[in-house]
Each structure stands twice: as structure tokens, then as C-alpha cells.
Amino acid sequence: MRLLFALAALIATPAFAQERARIPTPEGNSAAPIGASTTQQPAFTVIVEPVAMMIAAFDADGDGKVTRAEFDAGLKHSFDLVDTQHQGWLGYIAYSDWQERWMGDRNTVPSPFEVDRDGDNKVTFAELAERFDLLFKRFDADKNGVIERKELVTIRPQVMPGPGMGRGKKGRGRN
């Protein structure tokens, strides 16, 4: 038992002997790390849907605009990279792989159930292109056949807490 205790103490000794890394602090305030704010960060006001990030990646010439030709070519390229056996369709798991690769998460919209129009548990390129045609039309707000970056973001007004908001349970903080 003493041997076990001595062995444990010996193993733990290097961890105790090391100096702790110090976080640099700004001049005159030794309590707050650099970059720390004394006020809460404001809520974000610009939102980008995962599918909008994917569409932005289709901008082949880097001009900040996605033409219909760039859109169609980008969608086909993204599909072909996951359809490695060149079957012309993706099963739901492969479709989830495609979502994660191009939109950042396996659970993004449109879901495979939404895209698979005939319910055969396969997402064909034609089905994907049909669904993305609707997305192109939705994001092309000015209907000029080109999606600009400003059409891919959503601006949300910042909500400032008013009387009685953000104070816990209902009724608290009210006069």
C-alpha cells in the first residue's frame, strides 16, 4: 500500500512542479485578460444559412456573384465529389456526407426526405437540382439571374432588452 502511495506521489510530482501559464493582462487591470470585455457582447445581427454558404462557394471567378451557370456547375461538382461510384444518386447516408462537406453539418436543410421526391431512399442529381432550383429563385431576390453576397445574408434587427425582459422568472423586476 505504501509502495502504491509513493508511486502515485512520484507520478504526480512533475505536474505540480510545472509553472502555470499566465494569461497576459492589459495595462492597469490585472484581473481581466487581454481581449476581455467588461460589457456583454451584443447579439449578432447577420445570419447566413448553411445552404447560402454553399451557394457562395460556387462563385468560380471570385467576383462575389454566383451566376446561374456557376450555380449549376457548382451543384453538379459537389454532387459528383460524393457520388464516387458515379451511380447518379446518393443514398441517405451519402447525402448526409454531402451535407456535412458542403454545408457544415449532416442535419442541414434541405433534408434528404425533402429532396427525395419519389420516396425511393435515393437522392438523384435531378431531384437535387430541382430542389436547388427553388433555392436559386428564393435567394435571387432582385430576379436578375445572379445571386450576390448581399442576397445570401439575412440582417436581423438587434433586440434590446426592455423593462421586465431578461430578468429571470415571469413577473420579476417589474414595478
Side-chain angles (χ1 to χ4, degrees):
M1 183 68 167
R2 288 184 202 172
L3 181 61
L4 184 61
F5 180 71
L7 184 60
L10 184 62
I11 291 172
T13 302
F16 290 118
Q18 295 177 3
E19 280 190 40
R20 291 188 180 196
R22 302 244 183 240
I23 298 173
T25 57
E27 299 290 325
N29 184 0
S30 60
I34 292 177
S37 174
T38 56
T39 61
Q40 188 175 10
Q41 181 177 353
F44 55 87
T45 58
V46 179
I47 301 169
V48 179
E49 296 176 52
V51 73
M53 291 189 319
M54 178 182 173
I55 293 169
F58 293 163
D59 177 17
D61 60 7
D63 65 354
K65 300 174 184 177
V66 178
T67 64
R68 187 58 202 232
E70 287 175 319
F71 181 89
D72 292 340
L75 187 62
K76 180 68 172 142
H77 176 72
S78 74
F79 186 88
D80 289 345
L81 286 176
V82 176
D83 182 19
T84 57
Q85 296 180 6
H86 310 291
Q87 302 174 104
W89 57 269
L90 302 174
Y92 284 8
I93 292 173
Y95 182 83
S96 294
D97 293 342
W98 175 83
Q99 286 179 297
E100 183 175 38
R101 181 173 187 166
W102 288 95
M103 292 185 271
D105 191 89
R106 294 176 174 273
N107 299 308
T108 57
V109 176
S111 78
F113 306 106
E114 181 183 347
V115 177
D116 181 17
R117 305 290 287 165
D118 59 8
D120 65 353
N121 296 328
K122 298 175 184 174
V123 176
T124 65
F125 180 73
E127 289 171 323
L128 186 68
E130 180 183 344
R131 180 62 180 100
F132 269 75
D133 181 56
L134 298 173
L135 291 167
F136 186 92
K137 290 174 182 171
R138 187 186 92 185
F139 282 110
D140 184 16
D142 60 8
K143 307 302 180 208
N144 67 350
V146 176
I147 299 175
E148 297 180 38
R149 296 289 166 103
K150 66 182 178 183
E151 293 172 309
L152 292 172
V153 298
T154 302
I155 307 296
R156 183 176 80 176
Q158 188 172 3
V159 178
M160 302 300 283
M165 293 178 65
R167 296 187 184 192
K169 291 185 179 180
K170 187 176 178 180
R172 284 190 184 173
R174 293 186 182 189
N175 294 335

